[in-house]
């Protein structure tokens, strides 16, 4: 093993262990919403993909799951239909 790859290994290990430079979850959320300036989003992408930080990847997955549930058009549609059929049933019941 050359000295250089030894150093790279150490830096990666320290980065993962200490969560050095982990972006705040708010930053990760802004990144998901494409609200970060180019430099910052490059950093987040590097951190998530190249550093493969398990902590931040878990946060992003969690944020994405919440986002999907909150905004899913399928669920909105089901809720709409359910509401409309409930209203229709109530109207029929009254008539
Ligand atoms: Zn991280």
């Amino acid at each position: 093993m050359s000295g250089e790859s030894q150093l790279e290994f150490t830096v990666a290990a320290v980065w993962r262990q200490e969560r050095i430079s982990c972006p705040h979850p708010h930053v990760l959320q802004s990144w998901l919403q494409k609200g970060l300036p180019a430099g910052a989003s490059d950093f987040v992408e590097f951190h998530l993909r190249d550093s493969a930080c398990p902590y931040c990847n878990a946060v992003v997955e969690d944020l994405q799951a919440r986002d999907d549930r909150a905004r899913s058009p399928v669920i909105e549609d089901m809720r709409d239909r359910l509401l409309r059929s409930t209203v229709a049933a109530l109207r029929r019941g009254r008539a």
Side-chain angles (χ1 to χ4, degrees), residues 15 19-23 47 53-57:
W15 188 327
R19 287 206 242 135
I20 290 173
S21 310
C22 267
H47 186 73
C53 172
Y55 174 77
C56 292
N57 276 290

Side-chain angles (χ1 to χ4, degrees), residues 40-91:
S41 77
D42 281 354
F43 167 74
V44 171
E45 274 164 37
F46 174 83
H47 186 73
L48 291 172
R49 285 165 198 167
D50 297 333
S51 308
C53 172
Y55 174 77
C56 292
N57 276 290
V59 170
V60 165
E61 263 177 47
D62 189 51
L63 288 171
Q64 265 173 333
R66 270 187 240 177
D67 217 42
D68 288 351
R69 278 198 294 276
R71 285 193 215 163
S72 164
V74 175
I75 290 180
E76 295 257 327
D77 189 50
M78 278 172 54
R79 204 190 293 143
D80 267 16
R81 264 187 283 168
L82 187 66
L83 189 67
R84 259 180 268 143
S85 67
T86 306
V87 169
L90 286 172
R91 281 191 187 141

